[in-house]
Amino acid sequence: NLWIYDENSYPSGFAGGLVPDAMPESRGRGLAFREETKPGKAGPEVVAVFRLTEDAAEDVTDKARGSDPLPEGKYLMASVVRAGDSPWYGGRCYVDLLYPGVTEKFLAITLDPYQKEKEIGGQFGKRVPGSFADEPQLKPADGLPWTDDLPQQFEKRWGYRLTDHLPSLERPVGDWKRIRHNYYQTLLDLFIERWSKPYFDYCAKRKLEFTGHYWEQDWPNCIGVPDNMAMSAWQQRPGIDILMNQYREDTHAQFGNIRSCRELSS
């Protein structure tokens, strides 16, 4: 039997640079924070600007976009940054898997050609059981995961504006535990809706099994993958990739770590 490996290198999603080549808007996005004493006029990449005090953060974004400069002080700037090119990504970049249409473009570039080849496509569900994805993730650029419509998706789910509370993602101010929970839950929802389900459905229609793994060994860090178990639910044959041949019992131990196995078997 022959399993299709969906990628040139990893993490899955960029297809050796062919996805960002065909879809420049797929270039990965991140939300980066920096402190400034003289922020200057906020450019289009700036999502929000906050004046910091000892225990609070005041939103001064509208003033920062105005013609009058802000007075000197302590400010937190939240800006969108884009993934850089790298030889690892075929001279291109990793992609924003939450941007609508990126997963579909990736599947069309990566798996459609196999289906068109009679010797391979004719064996889908037979000698070719399925496709393996390797560590797709949500942190393609510096900072925290971001995509263009994340604020709208967040407000739709939780009834308040994420951009009003961005400092809570970066430091313990305000109701930061609730804000962070809601932020990561929104990321997870979108990751399932825009990556896992489309991949699962693509394979189901072609009698393939979607397999592979996410970043289970990085738990409990939830930046790249908020919830491995929720993602695995949308694979016909969920998998893990436990590599390190050593005996350890700490949180990040891989060899002999039964947590991942129990998650999948459930």
Side-chain angles (χ1 to χ4, degrees), residues 140-265:
D142 291 338
L144 294 172
W146 192 258
T147 196
D148 285 356
D149 70 337
L150 185 60
Q152 292 80 11
Q153 293 294 332
F154 184 97
E155 187 171 2
K156 175 183 175 182
R157 287 163 170 80
W158 304 106
Y160 67 96
R161 285 163 48 94
L162 173 62
T163 50
D164 291 341
H165 302 276
L166 292 180
S168 296
L169 300 179
E170 204 266 340
R171 55 190 65 198
V173 296
D175 193 5
W176 61 274
K177 291 184 179 181
R178 179 174 66 95
I179 305 301
R180 293 184 193 185
H181 170 274
N182 295 354
Y183 166 76
Y184 283 109
Q185 183 65 55
T186 304
L187 291 178
L188 178 63
D189 290 347
L190 294 178
F191 203 6
I192 292 172
E193 293 168 11
R194 297 179 179 180
W195 167 265
S196 293
K197 283 186 177 181
Y199 205 139
F200 179 93
D201 291 340
Y202 180 100
C203 287
K205 290 177 182 178
R206 292 159 179 80
K207 300 180 180 179
L208 295 173
E209 291 186 335
F210 176 22
T211 190
H213 82 116
Y214 292 88
W215 272 19
E216 64 280 343
Q217 73 268 23
D218 214 27
W219 186 90
N221 188 333
C222 58
I223 292 179
V225 183
D227 185 343
N228 288 285
M229 194 173 180
M231 304 301 292
S232 296
W234 293 96
Q235 290 182 306
Q236 282 87 356
R237 188 185 290 264
I240 54 178
D241 188 7
I242 304 299
L243 298 174
M244 306 304 179
N245 189 15
Q246 55 184 311
Y247 182 78
R248 286 166 51 189
E249 293 186 347
D250 59 280
T251 298
H252 295 282
Q254 293 194 40
F255 184 75
N257 189 337
I258 65 170
R259 184 194 72 254
S260 297
C261 303
R262 288 190 171 186
E263 286 181 349
L264 297 193
S265 65

Side-chain angles (χ1 to χ4, degrees), residues 24-34 42-50 61 65 76-84 96 99 138 140-152 162-163 166 169 183:
E25 63 272 29
S26 70
R27 181 177 292 271
R29 295 164 176 82
L31 183 70
F33 295 90
R34 72 179 190 274
E45 78 285 353
V46 174
V47 177
V49 182
F50 298 85
T61 307
R65 299 196 192 282
L76 184 67
M77 313 278 290
S79 304
V80 175
V81 293
R82 304 301 291 272
D96 175 4
Y99 192 85
L138 297 183
D142 291 338
L144 294 172
W146 192 258
T147 196
D148 285 356
D149 70 337
L150 185 60
Q152 292 80 11
L162 173 62
T163 50
L166 292 180
L169 300 179
Y183 166 76

